[in-house]
Amino acid sequence: MIRNILGSLVALAGAASAVLSPFRDWYDGRAGQDYRVRDLFEGITATESGVLVSILLPFLFAALLVIAGVVLRSRLAVALAGLVVLGFTILWMVRQGQATGSLTVGGDGAGLQVGVVNALAGGVLMLIGALLMRGRGRGVARARREREREPVEPYGAPPADQVDMWPPTQEPGMSTHTSPWPEPEVDPYTGPDPHDPRTRSYPQAPPPGRTGDPRDPVHPPQRPPEG
């Protein structure tokens, strides 16, 4: 995070320096906005240029690339903007050298001036900003790997106070599952215990060596009504 912020600030400073450079003197008192973009490909002439068709145009494009790269955290866009600024500045230096026969640096305004320095510094700052930025590719890949490592339950246990559609029957009803594990099965009913006298409903034979009433102790015979 800190590297992204620092790299973004450096890149934005470079974009500002590049955009302001055409408004300053470049060579022999001539401002950068007086050089047409087509002069960089066809040769430097003395023809004056409009602002929107001057060397300011590619620098504005580079500044927009820097802003997009900062917002999207794209190191490639910021680096491309720096290469655009440096490329057009170096191309201008080549054409200016061809037009005058040589390039000179003088303190009396007879050679390269501060506008060129601003443009070169802006392109270098953009490249430094791209190097400082971490980008977003590693963070996204790391978050994807962490999500893949987390175990995913096919069906999570719903809250007890909410109606759910519990698989596999998909029948609505109040949730009774509080655990993802299946409930234990109940032993099937096999009838009353024959050895329990509370549930015995039929006569039993007396044990060997013991006599007793063979009648049913639970349901003794009733005397028929006299009539």
Side-chain angles (χ1 to χ4, degrees):
M1 178 63 71
I2 296 178
R3 289 187 57 181
N4 279 330
I5 295 176
L6 181 59
S8 299
L9 293 177
V10 173
L12 290 174
S17 178
V19 171
L20 292 176
S21 65
F23 299 98
R24 311 193 71 175
D25 294 341
W26 277 47
Y27 196 82
D28 284 343
R30 188 177 183 183
Q33 62 180 347
D34 294 334
Y35 294 95
R36 299 179 301 176
V37 175
R38 60 182 298 179
D39 291 345
L40 303 181
F41 302 95
E42 299 176 358
I44 301 296
T45 62
T47 305
E48 296 293 332
S49 173
V51 176
L52 296 181
V53 294
S54 67
I55 199 174
L56 176 64
L57 182 62
F59 290 175
L60 286 175
F61 173 74
L64 293 177
L65 273 181
V66 170
I67 295 174
V70 169
V71 173
L72 301 176
R73 289 188 296 177
S74 174
R75 301 175 62 186
L76 180 61
V78 176
L80 180 60
L83 293 177
V84 168
V85 173
L86 291 177
F88 275 90
T89 304
I90 294 174
L91 180 60
W92 173 87
M93 294 175 66
V94 172
R95 292 301 186 183
Q96 184 65 40
Q98 292 175 349
T100 59
S102 64
L103 289 177
T104 59
V105 179
D108 54 353
L112 296 175
Q113 295 181 311
V114 66
V116 181
V117 177
N118 287 344
L120 293 176
V124 172
L125 287 176
M126 293 179 194
L127 293 180
I128 294 176
L131 292 176
L132 291 176
M133 295 175 62
R134 294 181 60 89
R136 60 182 304 178
R138 296 180 180 178
V140 173
R142 187 182 301 107
R144 186 183 296 112
R145 288 195 300 267
E146 292 178 356
R147 288 195 300 266
E148 292 175 354
R149 293 175 184 173
E150 296 179 356
V152 179
E153 296 183 1
Y155 302 104
D161 58 344
Q162 294 183 3
V163 177
D164 69 309
M165 299 291 289
W166 190 264
T169 60
Q170 300 293 325
E171 296 179 357
M174 296 303 296
S175 173
T176 58
H177 292 266
T178 59
S179 172
W181 302 103
E183 294 184 351
E185 296 183 0
V186 181
D187 294 337
Y189 178 74
T190 58
D193 187 1
H195 302 289
D196 190 352
R198 294 174 299 177
T199 59
R200 189 171 57 222
S201 61
Y202 51 89
Q204 297 291 331
R210 180 181 176 183
T211 59
D213 190 356
R215 294 175 299 178
D216 185 2
V218 180
H219 303 285
Q222 301 293 330
R223 178 180 295 180
E226 297 179 359

